[in-house]
């Protein structure tokens, strides 16, 4: 149990460090790129949910 808590603590600290760095140094997407991405997000989420449901029924 202690190992699990140690791993979770390390992951949490890594996220606290990496997320601000990514936000600061990542290139900003243009509005055209954002609209292309937005158009695909909902269908891909629906597809992944349907596949997860199918996987749960199969085994």
């Amino acid at each position: 149990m202690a190992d699990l808590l140690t791993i979770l603590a390390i992951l949490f600290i890594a996220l606290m460090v990496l997320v601000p760095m990514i936000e600061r140094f990542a290139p900003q997407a243009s509005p055209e790129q954002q609209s292309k991405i937005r158009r695909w997000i909902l269908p891909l989420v629906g597809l992944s949910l349907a596949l997860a449901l199918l996987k749960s029924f199969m085994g």
Side-chain angles (χ1 to χ4, degrees):
M1 185 68 173
D3 292 335
L4 176 64
L5 292 176
T6 304
I7 292 171
L8 288 174
I10 291 171
L11 287 174
F12 182 74
I13 292 169
L15 281 175
M16 294 294 290
V17 170
L18 289 176
V19 167
M21 287 179 62
I22 290 171
E23 288 178 352
R24 184 175 302 151
F25 297 115
Q28 298 297 322
S30 68
E32 295 87 16
Q33 288 175 329
Q34 289 178 0
S35 67
K36 287 179 185 177
I37 293 171
R38 259 188 230 130
R39 185 177 59 185
W40 285 98
I41 291 291
L42 195 57
L44 288 175
V45 169
L47 179 64
S48 67
L49 287 173
L51 290 173
L53 184 64
L54 182 66
K55 182 180 176 183
S56 70
F57 283 141
M58 295 303 229

